[in-house]
Coordinates of all heavy atoms in Angstrom, one line a residue:
M221 N 97.7 155.8 -32.3 CA 98.7 156.1 -31.4 C 98.8 157.7 -31.3 O 98.6 158.3 -32.3 CB 100.0 155.6 -32.0 CG 100.0 154.0 -32.2 SD 101.4 153.6 -33.2 CE 102.3 152.7 -32.1
R222 N 99.2 158.1 -30.2 CA 99.3 159.6 -30.0 C 100.8 160.0 -29.9 O 101.6 159.3 -29.2 CB 98.6 160.0 -28.7 CG 97.1 159.8 -28.9 CD 96.4 160.3 -27.7 NE 94.9 160.1 -28.0 CZ 94.0 160.4 -27.2 NH1 94.3 161.0 -26.0 NH2 92.8 160.3 -27.5
Y223 N 101.1 161.1 -30.6 CA 102.5 161.5 -30.6 C 102.4 163.1 -30.4 O 101.4 163.8 -30.8 CB 103.1 161.3 -32.0 CG 103.4 159.9 -32.3 CD1 102.4 159.1 -32.9 CD2 104.6 159.2 -31.9 CE1 102.6 157.8 -33.1 CE2 104.8 157.9 -32.1 CZ 103.8 157.2 -32.7 OH 104.0 155.9 -32.9
V224 N 103.4 163.6 -29.8 CA 103.6 165.0 -29.8 C 104.7 165.5 -30.6 O 105.8 164.9 -30.6 CB 103.7 165.5 -28.3 CG1 105.0 165.1 -27.6 CG2 103.6 167.0 -28.2
I225 N 104.5 166.5 -31.3 CA 105.6 167.1 -32.2 C 106.0 168.4 -31.5 O 105.1 169.3 -31.2 CB 105.1 167.4 -33.6 CG1 104.8 166.0 -34.3 CG2 106.2 168.2 -34.4 CD1 104.3 166.2 -35.7
L226 N 107.3 168.5 -31.2 CA 107.8 169.7 -30.5 C 108.8 170.5 -31.4 O 109.6 169.8 -32.1 CB 108.5 169.3 -29.2 CG 107.7 168.5 -28.3 CD1 108.6 167.8 -27.3 CD2 106.7 169.3 -27.6
T227 N 108.7 171.8 -31.4 CA 109.7 172.6 -32.1 C 109.8 173.9 -31.5 O 109.2 174.2 -30.4 CB 109.2 172.8 -33.6 OG1 110.3 173.4 -34.4 CG2 108.0 173.6 -33.7
H228 N 110.6 174.8 -32.0 CA 110.7 176.2 -31.5 C 109.5 176.9 -31.7 O 108.8 176.8 -32.8 CB 111.9 177.0 -32.1 CG 113.2 176.4 -31.8 ND1 113.8 176.5 -30.6 CD2 114.0 175.7 -32.6 CE1 115.0 175.9 -30.6 NE2 115.1 175.3 -31.8
P229 N 108.9 177.6 -30.7 CA 107.7 178.4 -30.9 C 107.8 179.4 -32.0 O 108.9 180.0 -32.3 CB 107.6 179.2 -29.5 CG 108.5 178.4 -28.6 CD 109.5 177.8 -29.3
G230 N 106.7 179.6 -32.6 CA 106.6 180.6 -33.7 C 105.2 180.9 -34.1 O 104.4 179.9 -33.9
D231 N 104.9 182.0 -34.5 CA 103.5 182.2 -35.0 C 103.4 182.8 -36.4 O 102.6 183.6 -36.7 CB 102.8 183.1 -34.0 CG 103.5 184.5 -33.8 OD1 104.6 184.7 -34.4 OD2 102.9 185.4 -33.1
D232 N 104.4 182.5 -37.2 CA 104.5 183.0 -38.5 C 103.5 182.3 -39.4 O 102.8 181.3 -39.1 CB 105.9 182.9 -39.1 CG 106.4 181.5 -39.2 OD1 105.8 180.5 -38.9 OD2 107.6 181.4 -39.5
L233 N 103.4 182.8 -40.7 CA 102.4 182.2 -41.6 C 102.7 180.8 -42.0 O 101.7 180.0 -42.1 CB 102.4 183.1 -42.9 CG 101.4 182.8 -44.0 CD1 100.0 182.8 -43.4 CD2 101.6 183.7 -45.1
A234 N 103.9 180.4 -42.0 CA 104.2 179.0 -42.4 C 103.8 178.0 -41.3 O 103.2 177.0 -41.6 CB 105.7 178.8 -42.6
M235 N 103.9 178.5 -40.0 CA 103.4 177.6 -38.9 C 101.9 177.6 -38.9 O 101.3 176.5 -38.6 CB 103.9 178.2 -37.6 CG 105.4 178.2 -37.4 SD 106.0 176.5 -37.2 CE 105.8 176.4 -35.4
A236 N 101.2 178.6 -39.2 CA 99.8 178.7 -39.3 C 99.3 177.7 -40.5 O 98.3 177.0 -40.2 CB 99.3 180.1 -39.6
R237 N 100.0 177.7 -41.6 CA 99.6 176.8 -42.7 C 99.8 175.4 -42.2 O 99.0 174.5 -42.5 CB 100.4 177.1 -43.9 CG 100.0 178.4 -44.6 CD 100.8 178.5 -45.9 NE 100.5 179.8 -46.5 CZ 101.4 180.6 -47.1 NH1 102.6 180.2 -47.2 NH2 101.0 181.7 -47.6
Y238 N 100.9 175.1 -41.6 CA 101.2 173.7 -41.1 C 100.0 173.3 -40.2 O 99.5 172.2 -40.2 CB 102.5 173.7 -40.4 CG 102.8 172.3 -39.8 CD1 103.1 171.2 -40.6 CD2 102.8 172.1 -38.5 CE1 103.4 170.0 -40.0 CE2 103.0 170.9 -37.8 CZ 103.3 169.8 -38.7 OH 103.6 168.6 -38.1
H239 N 99.7 174.1 -39.3 CA 98.6 173.8 -38.2 C 97.3 173.5 -39.0 O 96.6 172.6 -38.7 CB 98.4 175.1 -37.3 CG 97.5 174.9 -36.2 ND1 97.8 174.3 -35.0 CD2 96.2 175.1 -36.2 CE1 96.7 174.2 -34.2 NE2 95.7 174.7 -34.9
D240 N 97.0 174.3 -40.0 CA 95.8 174.2 -40.8 C 95.8 172.8 -41.5 O 94.8 172.1 -41.7 CB 95.6 175.3 -41.8 CG 95.1 176.6 -41.1 OD1 94.7 176.5 -39.9 OD2 95.2 177.6 -41.8
E241 N 97.0 172.4 -42.1 CA 97.1 171.1 -42.7 C 96.8 170.0 -41.8 O 96.1 169.0 -42.1 CB 98.6 170.9 -43.2 CG 98.9 171.6 -44.4 CD 100.3 171.4 -44.9 OE1 100.8 170.2 -44.8 OE2 101.0 172.3 -45.2
L242 N 97.3 170.0 -40.5 CA 96.9 169.0 -39.5 C 95.5 169.0 -39.3 O 94.9 167.9 -39.1 CB 97.7 169.4 -38.2 CG 99.2 169.3 -38.3 CD1 99.8 169.8 -37.0 CD2 99.7 167.8 -38.5
V243 N 94.8 170.1 -39.1 CA 93.4 170.1 -38.9 C 92.7 169.5 -40.1 O 91.8 168.7 -39.8 CB 92.9 171.6 -38.7 CG1 91.4 171.7 -38.6 CG2 93.5 172.1 -37.4
Q244 N 93.0 169.9 -41.3 CA 92.3 169.4 -42.4 C 92.5 167.9 -42.6 O 91.6 167.2 -43.1 CB 92.8 170.2 -43.7 CG 92.3 171.6 -43.7 CD 92.8 172.3 -44.9 OE1 93.6 171.8 -45.7 NE2 92.5 173.6 -45.0
A245 N 93.7 167.4 -42.2 CA 93.9 166.0 -42.3 C 93.2 165.2 -41.2 O 93.1 163.9 -41.3 CB 95.4 165.7 -42.3
G246 N 92.7 165.9 -40.2 CA 92.0 165.2 -39.1 C 92.8 164.5 -38.1 O 92.4 163.6 -37.4
V247 N 94.1 164.8 -38.0 CA 95.0 164.2 -37.1 C 95.4 165.0 -35.8 O 95.9 164.5 -34.9 CB 96.3 163.8 -37.8 CG1 96.1 162.8 -39.0 CG2 97.1 165.0 -38.3
L248 N 95.0 166.2 -35.8 CA 95.3 167.1 -34.7 C 94.3 166.9 -33.6 O 93.1 167.1 -33.7 CB 95.3 168.6 -35.2 CG 95.7 169.6 -34.1 CD1 97.1 169.4 -33.8 CD2 95.5 171.1 -34.7
L249 N 94.9 166.7 -32.4 CA 94.1 166.5 -31.2 C 94.1 167.8 -30.4 O 93.1 168.3 -29.8 CB 94.5 165.4 -30.3 CG 94.3 164.0 -30.9 CD1 94.9 163.0 -29.9 CD2 92.8 163.7 -31.2
A250 N 95.3 168.4 -30.3 CA 95.6 169.7 -29.7 C 96.8 170.3 -30.2 O 97.7 169.6 -30.7 CB 95.6 169.5 -28.2
G251 N 97.0 171.6 -30.0 CA 98.2 172.2 -30.5 C 98.3 173.7 -30.3 O 97.2 174.3 -30.2
D252 N 99.4 174.2 -30.3 CA 99.5 175.7 -30.2 C 100.9 176.0 -31.0 O 101.9 175.8 -30.6 CB 99.7 176.1 -28.7 CG 99.7 177.6 -28.6 OD1 100.1 178.3 -29.5 OD2 99.3 178.0 -27.5
Q253 N 100.6 176.7 -32.1 CA 101.8 177.0 -33.0 C 102.7 178.0 -32.3 O 103.8 178.0 -32.6 CB 101.3 177.5 -34.4 CG 100.5 178.8 -34.3 CD 99.7 179.0 -35.5 OE1 99.2 178.1 -36.1 NE2 99.6 180.2 -35.9
A254 N 102.1 178.9 -31.5 CA 102.9 179.9 -30.8 C 103.8 179.2 -29.8 O 104.9 179.7 -29.4 CB 102.0 181.0 -30.2
A255 N 103.3 178.1 -29.2 CA 104.1 177.4 -28.1 C 105.0 176.3 -28.8 O 105.9 175.8 -28.1 CB 103.2 176.8 -27.1
G256 N 104.7 176.0 -30.0 CA 105.6 175.0 -30.7 C 105.3 173.6 -30.5 O 106.2 172.8 -30.4
F257 N 104.0 173.2 -30.3 CA 103.7 171.8 -30.1 C 102.4 171.4 -30.7 O 101.5 172.3 -30.9 CB 103.6 171.5 -28.6 CG 102.3 171.7 -27.9 CD1 101.3 170.8 -27.9 CD2 102.0 173.0 -27.4 CE1 100.1 171.1 -27.3 CE2 100.8 173.3 -26.8 CZ 99.8 172.3 -26.7
W258 N 102.2 170.1 -31.1 CA 101.0 169.6 -31.7 C 100.9 168.2 -31.1 O 101.8 167.5 -31.2 CB 101.0 169.6 -33.2 CG 101.1 170.9 -33.8 CD1 100.1 171.8 -34.1 CD2 102.3 171.6 -34.1 NE1 100.6 173.0 -34.6 CE2 101.9 172.9 -34.6 CE3 103.7 171.3 -34.0 CZ2 102.8 173.8 -35.1 CZ3 104.6 172.3 -34.4 CH2 104.2 173.5 -35.0
L259 N 99.7 167.8 -30.7 CA 99.4 166.5 -30.3 C 98.6 165.9 -31.4 O 97.5 166.3 -31.8 CB 98.6 166.5 -29.0 CG 98.1 165.2 -28.5 CD1 99.2 164.2 -28.2 CD2 97.2 165.4 -27.2
L260 N 99.1 164.7 -31.9 CA 98.5 164.1 -33.1 C 98.0 162.7 -32.7 O 98.6 162.0 -31.9 CB 99.5 163.9 -34.2 CG 100.3 165.1 -34.7 CD1 101.2 164.8 -35.8 CD2 99.4 166.3 -35.1
E261 N 97.0 162.2 -33.4 CA 96.5 160.9 -33.4 C 96.7 160.3 -34.8 O 96.0 160.7 -35.7 CB 95.0 160.8 -33.0 CG 94.4 159.4 -33.0 CD 94.6 158.7 -31.7 OE1 94.6 159.3 -30.7 OE2 94.9 157.5 -31.8
V262 N 97.7 159.4 -35.0 CA 98.0 158.7 -36.2 C 98.1 157.3 -36.0 O 98.3 156.7 -34.9 CB 99.3 159.4 -36.9 CG1 99.1 160.8 -37.2 CG2 100.5 159.2 -35.9
D263 N 98.2 156.6 -37.1 CA 98.3 155.1 -37.1 C 99.7 154.5 -36.8 O 99.8 153.5 -36.1 CB 97.8 154.4 -38.4 CG 96.2 154.7 -38.6 OD1 95.6 154.7 -37.6 OD2 95.9 154.8 -39.8
T264 N 100.7 155.2 -37.2 CA 102.1 154.7 -37.1 C 103.1 155.8 -36.7 O 102.8 157.0 -36.9 CB 102.5 154.0 -38.4 OG1 102.6 155.0 -39.4 CG2 101.6 152.9 -38.8
R265 N 104.3 155.3 -36.3 CA 105.3 156.3 -36.0 C 105.8 156.8 -37.3 O 106.2 158.1 -37.4 CB 106.5 155.4 -35.4 CG 107.8 156.3 -35.2 CD 107.6 157.4 -34.2 NE 108.7 158.3 -34.1 CZ 109.3 158.7 -33.0 NH1 108.8 158.3 -31.9 NH2 110.3 159.5 -33.1
A266 N 105.8 156.1 -38.4 CA 106.2 156.6 -39.7 C 105.3 157.8 -40.1 O 105.8 158.8 -40.6 CB 106.2 155.5 -40.7
E267 N 104.0 157.7 -39.8 CA 103.1 158.8 -40.1 C 103.5 160.0 -39.3 O 103.4 161.1 -39.8 CB 101.7 158.4 -40.0 CG 100.7 159.3 -40.5 CD 99.2 158.9 -40.3 OE1 99.0 157.7 -40.0 OE2 98.3 159.7 -40.6
A268 N 103.7 159.8 -38.0 CA 104.1 160.9 -37.1 C 105.4 161.5 -37.6 O 105.5 162.8 -37.7 CB 104.2 160.5 -35.7
D269 N 106.3 160.8 -38.0 CA 107.6 161.3 -38.6 C 107.4 162.1 -39.8 O 108.0 163.1 -40.0 CB 108.6 160.2 -38.8 CG 109.1 159.5 -37.5 OD1 109.0 160.2 -36.4 OD2 109.7 158.4 -37.6
E270 N 106.5 161.7 -40.7 CA 106.2 162.4 -41.9 C 105.6 163.7 -41.6 O 105.9 164.7 -42.2 CB 105.2 161.6 -42.8 CG 104.8 162.3 -44.1 CD 106.0 162.7 -44.9 OE1 107.0 161.9 -45.0 OE2 105.9 163.7 -45.6
W271 N 104.7 163.8 -40.6 CA 104.2 165.1 -40.3 C 105.2 166.0 -39.6 O 105.3 167.2 -39.9 CB 103.0 164.9 -39.3 CG 101.7 164.6 -40.0 CD1 101.1 163.4 -39.9 CD2 100.9 165.4 -40.8 NE1 100.0 163.4 -40.7 CE2 99.8 164.7 -41.2 CE3 101.1 166.8 -41.2 CZ2 98.9 165.1 -42.1 CZ3 100.1 167.2 -42.1 CH2 99.0 166.5 -42.5
A272 N 106.1 165.4 -38.9 CA 107.3 166.2 -38.3 C 108.2 166.7 -39.4 O 108.7 167.8 -39.3 CB 108.1 165.3 -37.3
R273 N 108.4 166.0 -40.5 CA 109.2 166.5 -41.6 C 108.6 167.7 -42.2 O 109.3 168.5 -42.9 CB 109.4 165.4 -42.6 CG 110.5 164.5 -42.2 CD 110.9 163.5 -43.3 NE 109.9 162.5 -43.6 CZ 109.9 161.3 -42.9 NH1 110.7 161.2 -41.9 NH2 109.0 160.4 -43.2
R274 N 107.3 167.9 -42.1 CA 106.6 169.0 -42.7 C 106.6 170.3 -41.9 O 106.2 171.4 -42.4 CB 105.1 168.7 -43.0 CG 105.0 167.6 -44.0 CD 103.5 167.2 -44.1 NE 103.3 166.1 -45.0 CZ 102.2 165.6 -45.4 NH1 101.1 166.2 -45.0 NH2 102.1 164.6 -46.2
V275 N 107.1 170.2 -40.6 CA 107.2 171.4 -39.8 C 108.1 172.4 -40.4 O 109.2 172.0 -40.8 CB 107.6 171.0 -38.4 CG1 107.8 172.3 -37.5 CG2 106.7 170.1 -37.7
P276 N 107.7 173.6 -40.5 CA 108.6 174.7 -41.2 C 109.7 175.2 -40.3 O 110.0 176.4 -40.3 CB 107.6 175.7 -41.6 CG 106.5 175.6 -40.6 CD 106.4 174.2 -40.2
H277 N 110.3 174.3 -39.5 CA 111.5 174.6 -38.7 C 112.4 173.4 -38.8 O 112.0 172.3 -39.0 CB 111.1 174.9 -37.2 CG 110.5 176.2 -37.0 ND1 111.2 177.4 -37.1 CD2 109.2 176.6 -36.7 CE1 110.4 178.4 -36.8 NE2 109.2 177.9 -36.6
D278 N 113.7 173.7 -38.6 CA 114.7 172.6 -38.6 C 114.8 171.7 -37.4 O 115.0 170.5 -37.5 CB 116.1 173.1 -38.9 CG 116.2 173.8 -40.3 OD1 115.4 173.4 -41.2 OD2 117.0 174.7 -40.4
D279 N 114.6 172.3 -36.2 CA 114.7 171.6 -34.9 C 113.4 171.0 -34.5 O 112.6 171.8 -33.9 CB 115.4 172.5 -33.9 CG 115.8 171.7 -32.6 OD1 115.9 170.5 -32.7 OD2 115.9 172.4 -31.6
V280 N 113.1 169.7 -34.8 CA 111.8 169.2 -34.5 C 112.1 167.8 -33.7 O 113.0 167.1 -34.0 CB 111.0 168.9 -35.8 CG1 109.7 168.2 -35.5 CG2 110.8 170.2 -36.5
E281 N 111.2 167.6 -32.7 CA 111.3 166.3 -32.0 C 109.9 165.7 -32.0 O 108.9 166.4 -31.9 CB 111.7 166.6 -30.5 CG 111.9 165.5 -29.7 CD 112.4 165.8 -28.3 OE1 112.8 166.9 -28.1 OE2 112.3 164.9 -27.5
V282 N 109.9 164.4 -32.1 CA 108.6 163.6 -32.0 C 108.7 162.7 -30.9 O 109.8 161.9 -30.7 CB 108.5 162.8 -33.3 CG1 107.1 162.0 -33.2 CG2 108.4 163.7 -34.5
R283 N 107.7 162.7 -30.0 CA 107.6 161.8 -28.9 C 106.3 161.0 -28.8 O 105.3 161.6 -29.1 CB 107.7 162.6 -27.6 CG 109.0 163.2 -27.4 CD 109.1 163.9 -26.0 NE 110.3 164.7 -25.9 CZ 110.5 165.5 -24.8 NH1 109.6 165.6 -23.8 NH2 111.6 166.2 -24.8
E284 N 106.4 159.7 -28.7 CA 105.2 158.9 -28.5 C 104.7 159.0 -27.1 O 105.5 159.0 -26.1 CB 105.5 157.4 -28.8 CG 104.2 156.6 -28.7 CD 104.5 155.1 -29.1 OE1 105.6 154.8 -29.5 OE2 103.5 154.4 -29.1
L285 N 103.4 159.2 -27.0 CA 102.8 159.3 -25.6 C 102.2 157.9 -25.2 O 101.6 157.3 -26.0 CB 101.6 160.3 -25.6 CG 102.1 161.8 -26.0 CD1 100.9 162.7 -26.0 CD2 103.1 162.2 -25.1
A286 N 102.5 157.5 -24.0 CA 102.0 156.2 -23.5 C 100.6 156.4 -23.0 O 100.2 157.5 -22.5 CB 102.9 155.8 -22.3
G287 N 99.9 155.3 -23.2 CA 98.5 155.3 -22.6 C 97.5 156.0 -23.5 O 97.9 156.5 -24.6
R288 N 96.3 156.1 -23.0 CA 95.3 156.8 -23.8 C 94.5 157.7 -22.8 O 94.1 157.4 -21.8 CB 94.4 155.8 -24.4 CG 95.0 155.3 -25.7 CD 93.8 154.8 -26.6 NE 94.3 154.5 -27.9 CZ 94.2 155.3 -29.0 NH1 93.6 156.4 -29.0 NH2 94.6 154.9 -30.1

């Protein structure tokens, strides 16, 4: 399943570390920490929500993308 995680744009060190975690986990399809979005491929909504909880900002939204 594909999900997009949205937050306030930022290019600080914490956002860069988060981005690297997504890459290392193999779940990142696309993303831009400066724009505040990441497109993930994960198995469940719960997994997407867990990644969203790790974003180093308070205001985060997760949306499921329809189709493939």
Side-chain angles (χ1 to χ4, degrees):
M221 301 165 116
R222 291 184 179 181
Y223 294 88
V224 65
I225 295 177
L226 304 165
T227 190
H228 293 287
D231 59 354
D232 59 6
L233 185 57
M235 294 290 271
R237 286 184 185 145
Y238 176 74
H239 186 90
D240 289 344
E241 285 181 40
L242 294 171
V243 171
Q244 289 176 4
V247 299
L248 183 66
L249 296 177
D252 187 334
Q253 65 199 34
F257 83 91
W258 297 273
L259 176 61
L260 309 182
E261 177 86 37
V262 294
D263 293 328
T264 65
R265 173 65 188 229
E267 189 177 352
D269 289 341
E270 177 58 34
W271 280 110
R273 280 190 284 280
R274 296 179 186 185
V275 174
H277 285 288
D278 293 335
D279 189 19
V280 178
E281 182 178 346
V282 179
R283 294 184 188 175
E284 184 175 357
L285 300 180
R288 283 204 171 255

